[in-house]
Amino acid sequence: MTAIPVTATGPGAERLWRDALAAGSLTLPFCDDCGRAHFYPRVLCPHCGSRAISLRPASGRGTVYSTTVLRRRPQDGGNLNVALVDFAEGPRMMSRVDGIPAESVSIGMAVEAAIVIEDDAPVVVFKPVGGA
Amino acid sequence: MAGSRLRGSAAIVGAGQAGIGDATGRSAFDIVGDATHAALADCGLKLSDIDGVFSATMVNSMPAVNVVEYLGLRPRVTEGTNTGGSSFLAHMQWAALALDAGLCEVALITYGSNQKTGAGKFVSSSEVVPFEAPYKPRYAVTPYALAAARHMHEFGTTREQLAEVAVAARTWANLNPEAAAKGPLSAEDVLSARMVSDPLTLRDCCLVTDGAGAIIMTRADRAKDFPKKPVYLLGVAAENWHRWVSSMPDLTVSAASRSGPRAMEMAGVTHDDLDLVMLYDAFTITPIMFLEDLGFCPKGEGGRFVGDGKLRHGGGFPLNTNGGGLSCVHPGMYGLFLLIEAVRQLRGECGARQLPDPKLALCHGNGGHWSSQVTAILGLGETL
C-alpha cells in the first residue's frame, strides 16, 4: 500500500483513516514536512502546522504505556482491559490488549496490532508479541 | 509581569453554598438559587445588583443563560465557558477582567447539580469520543486510573500512599458539619473497597453528591465596603494541553506544572508564604500529581510526600480542609467548592477545622481528564 494523501478538499483525515482500516490497512498520519507522526488523524500537523499529511502503513508494533482493568460484573461483560499503547512510530492511542487476562496486561509489554470487527466496524486492538 | 494589572484588582465579597450532599426534591437551579441567595446575604447585596453572570454545567448547553433566566437577571455580561471542574477558577479570571474593564460591577459565579438525588444516577456528558469509545472507558475514572498506574510504574508510588490521601481528607471532613462523608476511614478500608478501575477502588474516587455554590466578586476599590473581610484574587492562570487522556502528552505531568508557577508569579508569592492549599481531588492520584506539578515536592515524590500523614488534620500541611471531593462534596464539577472553603478559612469561619490566622491560599482546579488546569492565589488585604 502506498501513502494516502490527506488533501484540503474531499474526505477528511478521520474518514480516510477509517476507510483504509475497513480495507484492512492500519495506517498512521505522517507530516511530509517535519516527518513526525501523530494520532488521531488530522488535516494539519499538530507538531508543525503543515497541511502536507499522508497516511502511511503502520508497523503495528507498540508498547503498553499504561493499563487498567475496568471492573465489571459478569452480566455486564466482565473485566475489561483499557490500555494506552505507544506505536513504534511515536504516537499513542487508546486500545486494549486481547488474548490474555485483563489483569495480566502490564506497562512496557511489547504488543502488535490486530484489526477486529465490533458492532460492524473495524477496531484496532493489540496482542502480546509472539502470542501469549 | 504577565497579568499583573489584575493582581488584587478584584475580590470575593460574598460566598454561599446550598444542598451540600443531599438536596432531595430540589432541582439543580433551585439550589443555584439557594446558594446565590446565601452569597448575596453574606455581602449585603441585592439580586438586582448582579450585572455579570458566570456559570458552567455538564448538562446544559447554555448554562449561564439558564442561570440568568432562573434568577430573573438582565446582566451586561453573561459568560459560560466550560472547561470542566476548573471552570469556576477560570471564571474568576474573566470576572476580574470584566470588572477591571468596567463591563460589569457585581459578578456572580455559580454552579449547582443535583446529580445524586435528581437524576437517579451519575450525570455525565453524552459526548461520543471517536478514538476512545470503541474501548469502552468509564469516564471519569479510567483516565485517572491510567495515570495512577503510570505514576506507580515510573516512581514507585504505592496504593497505600494513594489511600493516605483519602484517609487524610476524611480527618478534615470529620470536623466539617457540611461534609457528606464522615466517620472513621482507614487505609485498609480504602484498599479493601471494591476495585473500580485498577489501581483505584471506590474509596480512591470522589463522592457523587448534590451541591451548589455561589461567589460574588467586585472591584477591589469597593470590596472594603462589605461586611466580611474581602478575599482578593492575587494571581490566576489557566493552561490546557489536551482534552482526552489518549492525547495527554505525559500521564505523570499535567498542565498544572505551568498554571501553578504562572499564578504564583502573578501573585508574587512563594510556597512558604502559603497557609492553605486546596487541590481538586477527584481521585486520590490527583492531589499527589498536583503537589508535584505545583512545586510542593519534586516530580515523582508526591506519594512519599503525602505518605507520612502530613495532609491529615494537625499534620502540618493543611490541604483540602473541607474534606475535599473525596469526603465533603463532589456534585460533578467541584472547583467552586474549593474556592468557597478557601474564602471561609481566610475569613476565619471554619469552626473546628479552622486554621490559625491563614492569609494566603492556593486553589487549584482540574477539568476534564487532567485537561484544563487553573491555579488561583487568594489572599486577605494584608497580602496585597
Side-chain angles (χ1 to χ4, degrees):
Chain A
M1 193 194 106
T2 54
I4 302 165
V6 177
T7 52
T9 57
E14 179 178 346
R15 173 67 179 275
L16 290 169
W17 184 84
R18 291 194 188 283
D19 286 351
L21 196 65
S25 175
L26 172 60
T27 62
L28 283 172
F30 274 80
C31 175
D32 297 328
D33 281 331
C34 77
R36 294 181 67 182
H38 63 267
F39 195 81
Y40 48 90
R42 293 163 165 90
V43 299
L44 78 176
C45 174
H47 305 297
C48 77
S50 167
R51 298 207 65 157
I53 307 294
S54 54
L55 304 181
R56 304 182 195 169
S59 70
R61 293 193 309 275
T63 306
V64 175
Y65 175 74
S66 194
T67 179
T68 185
V69 182
L70 186 54
R71 302 285 174 160
R72 302 187 306 186
R73 298 177 299 178
Q75 59 267 40
D76 295 329
N79 290 347
L80 177 70
N81 174 251
V82 180
L84 296 174
V85 175
D86 288 343
F87 283 103
E89 291 88 340
R92 178 177 302 155
M93 77 178 297
M94 181 175 282
S95 187
R96 68 168 191 269
V97 180
D98 281 351
I100 56 173
E103 313 81 67
S104 301
V105 180
S106 62
I107 293 175
M109 181 177 273
V111 291
E112 56 192 357
I115 302 172
V116 298
I117 303 298
E118 290 178 359
D119 300 326
D120 299 323
V123 172
V124 179
V125 299
F126 288 82
K127 294 176 177 169
V129 169
Chain B
M1 188 188 305
S4 61
R5 173 192 165 91
L6 293 180
R7 183 191 186 276
S9 70
I12 299 168
V13 298
Q17 292 187 157
I20 299 299
D22 187 311
T24 298
R26 301 182 83 72
S27 77
F29 288 107
D30 286 343
I31 57 176
V32 162
D34 294 334
T36 300
H37 186 267
L40 289 166
D42 191 47
C43 62
L45 285 169
K46 301 189 302 294
L47 187 62
S48 57
D49 293 325
I50 297 169
D51 61 354
V53 172
F54 301 75
S55 191
T57 69
M58 296 300 285
V59 295
N60 307 101
S61 58
M62 302 179 207
V65 179
N66 291 47
V67 168
V68 166
E69 178 184 279
Y70 187 98
L71 296 176
L73 297 171
R74 294 189 173 190
R76 294 192 285 156
V77 173
T78 301
E79 216 296 310
T81 302
N82 182 4
T83 58
S86 63
S87 299
F88 316 96
L89 289 93
H91 289 166
M92 285 201 304
Q93 175 175 257
W94 305 130
L97 193 61
L99 289 162
D100 185 65
L103 296 177
C104 64
E105 300 294 319
V106 176
L108 166 70
I109 302 173
T110 187
Y111 171 77
S113 167
N114 63 345
Q115 73 166 205
K116 179 187 176 192
T117 62
K121 64 187 177 76
F122 182 69
V123 178
S124 187
S125 167
S126 57
E127 180 176 356
V128 174
V129 188
F131 291 94
E132 294 194 356
Y135 309 106
K136 303 180 173 66
R138 186 179 300 160
Y139 299 140
V141 68
T142 299
Y144 291 89
L146 288 165
R150 185 72 198 182
H151 203 278
M152 291 167 72
H153 173 81
E154 283 196 33
F155 306 119
T157 307
T158 65
R159 285 189 57 209
E160 288 74 14
Q161 291 164 346
L162 293 172
E164 175 59 28
V165 175
V167 169
R170 184 61 60 88
T171 66
W172 290 101
N174 284 335
L175 300 171
N176 180 0
E178 279 189 297
K182 289 206 272 283
L185 182 75
S186 69
E188 183 51 35
D189 293 334
V190 180
L191 296 169
S192 62
R194 177 171 62 84
M195 189 63 79
V196 178
S197 191
D198 298 43
L200 304 178
T201 73
L202 191 61
R203 298 282 165 246
D204 286 297
C205 302
C206 63
L207 305 172
V208 176
T209 72
D210 299 337
I215 59 177
I216 306 286
M217 289 178 74
T218 69
R219 272 190 301 282
D221 56 16
R222 65 182 293 203
K224 289 187 289 293
D225 300 337
F226 296 98
K228 305 283 182 67
K229 280 191 258 188
V231 173
Y232 295 89
L233 179 63
L234 300 175
V236 60
E239 291 272 348
N240 176 198
W241 298 345
H242 69 279
R243 171 65 181 94
W244 307 105
V245 73
S246 51
S247 291
M248 184 171 178
D250 179 340
L251 262 67
T252 67
V253 181
S254 80
S257 59
R258 286 235 303 238
S259 68
R262 282 181 49 213
M264 290 179 70
E265 186 196 4
M266 177 175 164
V269 302
T270 66
H271 295 91
D272 289 343
D273 299 329
L274 298 167
D275 303 304
L276 168 66
V277 179
M278 296 294 301
L279 305 181
Y280 199 121
D281 57 341
F283 301 92
T284 51
I285 183 63
T286 55
I288 288 176
M289 224 160 91
F290 293 146
L291 285 165
E292 299 170 356
D293 288 341
L294 296 169
F296 291 99
C297 64
K299 178 51 66 183
E301 291 299 314
R304 286 172 283 278
F305 184 81
V306 308
D308 67 358
K310 68 166 65 68
L311 305 186
R312 298 185 187 196
H313 177 251
F317 191 97
L319 180 113
N320 297 350
T321 53
N322 58 346
L326 290 167
S327 275
C328 179
V329 59
H330 197 291
M333 302 209 286
Y334 168 70
L336 187 53
F337 302 92
L338 63 85
L339 292 175
I340 291 170
E341 174 68 7
V343 169
R344 290 175 169 181
Q345 281 285 357
L346 292 170
R347 288 172 170 181
E349 299 174 345
C350 285
R353 69 184 190 284
Q354 179 63 47
L355 302 173
D357 267 340
K359 294 179 175 57
L360 265 178
L362 180 147
C363 298
H364 184 78
N366 168 59
H369 301 162
W370 303 104
S371 321
S372 163
Q373 303 296 332
V374 188
T375 311
I377 310 293
L378 302 180
L380 293 178
E382 53 262 54
T383 65
L384 278 170

